[in-house]
Amino acid sequence: MSIHPGTAAKRKAPDSQSSSDAAKVRRRSPTRVNPALYLFPLPAVAVVAFFLVMPTLQAFQYAVTDWNGFSAAFNYVGLDNFIRAFTKDSLFTNALTNNLKFVLLVVVAQTAFSLVLALLLTRNSRGSILLRALFFFPTILSSVSVAFIWKFIYDPNFGLANSVLKTVGVDGGAYLGNDVQALYWVAVTQVWFHSGQMMVVYIAGLQAIPKELYEAAEMDGANKWQRFKSITWPFVAPATSIVVAYTTVQSFKAFDLILGIAGNPPKSALDILSTRIYSTFANSEFGYAAAQSIIFMAMIALVTWLQRRLLRLTPKGE
Amino acid sequence: MSQISRRQAVAILGALGFGAAAAACAGPGGSTKPGGASGPAAPSTGAVTGRISFAHWRGEDKAVFDELIKRFAAQHGGVEVAQDISTSNDYNAQGLQKVRGAAIGDAFATFRGAQFKNFTEAGIYTDLKDSKAVGNYQKGLLTAGQNGNNQLGLPYQVVFPMPMANVDVFDKAGAEIAPKNWDAFLGMCEKLASAGVIPISWPGGDVGNGGQLFNCMIANNAPVDDMCAQIEQGKLKCTDDWFIKMLNQYKDLKPYVQPNATGTAVEPAQNLFSQGKAAMLATGSYHIAAVRALGAKFPMDLVFPNTTSDGNGKYEGAYNATFILGVNSASKNQATAAAWIDFLSEPENAGYYANQTAQHVSVDKVEYTNPDLKRLSPWLQKKTALAARFQFQNLDVRNAVEASATAVISGTSPEQAAAAAQKIVDERL
């Protein structure tokens, strides 16, 4: 059992001298701070409470109502909105399936592609730096611009993709107009958009690996693949952890890209959770949209946690 | 000042969080707005001064409205009207929330159908029944802005959501521009295809514009005029014979739309038409100005895909009365907002708007000088059906029903497409 230093000082204060000493002890105590200091974070706390905590709590409250977003009247419906989302709303389950498929595609492709780019461009030569800048460039574009660029590329009549194919005598496709393929084409856009950013994370990780390890491995006769497997991959695990987590959240929230490329509302083949929530809000079903938002939040948390568990990207104790 | 321990500080922060939670529990909604179905009348008198916001989605009309605002300001010294423009899809999705608190939209416009209904239920409209403006409109075209005995909005535009035709291409191909029945329509498409042009440019990749053809296809196929409302209510079904017949007619169109039509956005579809590569643009007369801006010089007309087998259909075309003007019940400057609506509704100003934007208006005694409007004016007298797709109140239902047509064009069987649409409808009953 620990005794609070301040309390102990109080017990040892029979006269004024001792009392003064005790006050000094109190002032110097590492567990006591000037209360005025607690006022400093208040503006930040207020902002977080007002813009983050309150809306989140409100979402939980709306989620158990049938509120339409503008009426003063509403009913509490318990968990009906959550049950409806999973059992009576094929548009929501379709969006969920699309989103998980999109996340899987983008996470695998973007992680692999950005790692390959990073491996090729790790050295700080002039050419590498130029190429890094080139690959990083899409990241600084707005997602709406990216959506419009790729919308033009995929246009079956005047688009770049079909024009190029036509020059070599191949008939192009409908791209976004093909319900089976549409999601894959948007995934290509997303990977193009963000791989440069992830490449930078990997390059930072790769440059931190001590060169001596590779020299020693080379002397032991390890080939390129063995060096990658035994040195590079384990050492870039923290970078991979960042890339995978960030890409997952990014892919779940590809709202602006999908809306820009597929229009509002997107057709069901391109509907993901964030666009479905937006459509539900637009359809004046605020209560139901709030429930969908909570499921969305839970889904991101679950998938991120599962990824970290499955990929074992977080060493024990960290 | 006494000192506090960390534990006390945590307790204070906890209390703050609890306070935020309590605030969040104040309940959704919160206030009942004035107005609504029997809302207050917009003031017919009052000082026309200060600044108002005019919220709408017609970015392409901005310059025309700017000119009208100048003229309005010249009449009322010191008045300012700011246009708050969103894209049509965003306006559809967020218009109500933006206008509701009157941060924008002292005067505003709404789409006919679900959006007008939601604005009405939210009590955003004032009643314009006794306004000066209402007397300037053609009575038959005012119904889209009515709720019971109240005239909450004034439908400003009259548009024809029917395929537009390049008359020169039709003449060259010897194709009939006014087919009497479905076989004649397909025969017309065949002639156009034989002449080496794409008969129909259809933006199947754009839900909003691609869906306009639906208004024509359903008009004479449905057993009742409120067919879409009845589908939404479960009284009619997408799996009914008449609906399947309509989807089969969409299937007939497949060889006559451009290749990969389901992936075509509206701008490329307009380009195919304006460049003379396609004979028809299956959107509507509201795209005339855009097509002219792309350089189209040819004369244009409208074509009604008459789906009847004997030519004895109830309707000869489809129209929509939309861009429903209203005065915000929460506006602090209703007098100026009402004066702005009155101003827009005067025949001279409505005529300026119509001729500059190449869109007909519901205002009476307007002189159309724009050659395209002049050419299409006979359609104002024809027996046209009020665009059915705007009967849908639920956007998910509307999109699902219209998506069945897109699915058929992309190769799904009409029966399968109808069943998929009906599933969504059933889930929302």
Side-chain angles (χ1 to χ4, degrees), chain A residues 61 67 70 90 177 278 283, chain B residues 24 29 94 100 262 394 427-428:
Chain A
Q61 192 208 359
W67 190 42
F70 49 83
S90 50
Y278 185 67
N283 218 3
Chain B
Q94 302 168 358
R100 188 181 173 214
T262 53
N394 186 309
E427 285 173 351
R428 273 149 181 80

Side-chain angles (χ1 to χ4, degrees), chain A residues 134-157:
Chain A
L134 196 69
F135 285 116
F136 187 79
F137 178 71
T139 308
I140 61 170
L141 296 175
S142 81
S143 45
V144 177
S145 309
V146 170
F148 276 90
I149 292 167
W150 282 84
K151 203 172 162 179
F152 169 71
I153 291 172
Y154 290 145
D155 174 63
N157 309 284

Side-chain angles (χ1 to χ4, degrees), chain B residues 112-386:
Chain B
R112 190 185 129 235
Q115 197 180 47
F116 175 72
K117 176 188 158 261
N118 287 341
F119 272 63
T120 301
E121 284 179 4
I124 295 173
Y125 283 107
T126 54
D127 189 3
L128 297 173
K129 192 168 53 188
D130 301 322
S131 69
K132 187 179 146 200
V134 77
N136 290 331
Y137 285 77
Q138 297 176 50
K139 286 213 162 39
L141 294 173
L142 281 170
T143 48
Q146 288 169 353
N147 186 54
N149 291 325
N150 301 99
Q151 187 70 50
L152 299 182
L154 303 169
Y156 199 52
Q157 300 171 349
V158 178
V159 296
F160 297 98
M162 296 160 58
M164 292 192 291
N166 178 336
V167 176
D168 286 350
V169 169
F170 269 72
D171 288 346
K172 216 171 167 184
E176 190 188 5
I177 210 158
K180 297 280 182 298
N181 55 43
W182 188 243
D183 285 341
F185 182 79
L186 294 179
M188 177 199 83
C189 290
E190 190 56 47
K191 271 192 177 170
L192 292 165
S194 304
V197 291
I198 297 162
I200 305 171
S201 172
W202 179 62
D206 181 306
V207 174
N209 287 296
Q212 298 290 10
L213 184 61
F214 183 81
N215 293 309
C216 299
M217 299 295 284
I218 203 169
N220 284 328
N221 267 316
V224 288
D225 283 348
D226 62 341
M227 67 300 260
C228 293
Q230 291 207 25
I231 287 173
E232 196 166 75
Q233 292 156 10
K235 292 176 188 165
L236 293 176
K237 288 186 181 298
C238 299
T239 47
D240 289 346
D241 289 345
W242 66 270
F243 196 91
I244 302 276
K245 183 192 158 203
M246 182 191 73
L247 291 182
N248 272 302
Q249 289 177 323
Y250 265 103
K251 193 177 165 188
D252 293 340
L253 293 180
K254 199 180 166 190
Y256 303 119
V257 296
Q258 78 277 19
N260 301 314
T262 53
T264 303
V266 70
E267 296 85 0
Q270 286 174 339
N271 269 303
L272 286 174
F273 180 65
S274 65
Q275 291 172 15
K277 291 178 181 168
M280 288 181 272
L281 173 63
T283 56
S285 63
Y286 59 95
H287 272 158
I288 291 174
V291 169
R292 289 277 177 237
L294 288 169
K297 302 279 185 231
F298 48 80
M300 282 187 260
D301 205 337
L302 298 170
V303 180
F304 180 56
N306 193 332
T307 55
T308 59
S309 54
D310 55 5
N312 290 324
K314 191 174 173 185
Y315 295 107
E316 301 170 292
Y319 82 101
N320 194 23
T322 188
F323 204 71
I324 304 173
L325 299 172
V327 173
N328 194 331
S329 61
S331 166
K332 292 195 173 87
N333 199 354
Q334 282 187 5
T336 305
W340 168 241
I341 301 297
D342 286 347
F343 176 84
L344 287 178
S345 307
E346 284 169 15
E348 188 192 341
N349 301 322
Y352 178 79
Y353 174 80
N355 290 312
Q356 293 300 312
T357 61
Q359 296 201 89
H360 291 99
V361 287
S362 311
V363 175
D364 211 1
K365 294 174 188 161
V366 165
E367 192 190 342
Y368 294 114
T369 53
N370 179 302
D372 290 319
L373 293 184
K374 268 180 157 174
R375 186 174 186 114
L376 300 185
S377 284
W379 284 95
L380 290 167
Q381 313 305 325
K382 290 192 182 182
K383 192 153 174 42
T384 47
L386 189 56

Side-chain angles (χ1 to χ4, degrees), chain A residues 58-67 74-82 286-288 290-291 294:
Chain A
Q58 274 187 324
F60 277 94
Q61 192 208 359
Y62 295 166
V64 291
T65 70
D66 63 357
W67 190 42
F74 65 93
N75 299 302
Y76 283 101
V77 295
L79 295 176
D80 283 4
N81 286 333
F82 294 93
F286 265 56
Y288 185 41
I294 289 165

Side-chain angles (χ1 to χ4, degrees), chain B residues 39-122:
Chain B
S44 53
T45 56
V48 179
T49 183
R51 189 176 195 273
I52 59 161
S53 152
F54 177 43
H56 65 92
W57 64 88
R58 296 273 311 172
E60 58 270 54
D61 296 352
K62 185 179 180 298
V64 179
F65 278 126
D66 279 342
E67 174 57 30
L68 287 167
I69 288 167
K70 254 189 223 167
R71 294 180 188 186
F72 180 60
Q75 277 184 19
H76 306 278
V79 164
E80 277 182 63
V81 181
Q83 295 189 65
D84 282 299
I85 305 170
S86 315
T87 62
S88 59
N89 287 331
D90 287 337
Y91 193 84
N92 210 8
Q94 302 168 358
L96 188 145
Q97 297 305 330
K98 284 182 173 174
V99 174
R100 188 181 173 214
I104 63 161
D106 298 284
F108 60 91
T110 54
F111 288 91
R112 190 185 129 235
Q115 197 180 47
F116 175 72
K117 176 188 158 261
N118 287 341
F119 272 63
T120 301
E121 284 179 4

Side-chain angles (χ1 to χ4, degrees), chain B residues 385-399:
Chain B
L386 189 56
R389 70 193 293 239
F390 299 101
Q391 291 170 13
F392 287 116
Q393 306 288 326
N394 186 309
L395 298 174
D396 284 340
V397 171
R398 187 178 94 179
N399 294 332

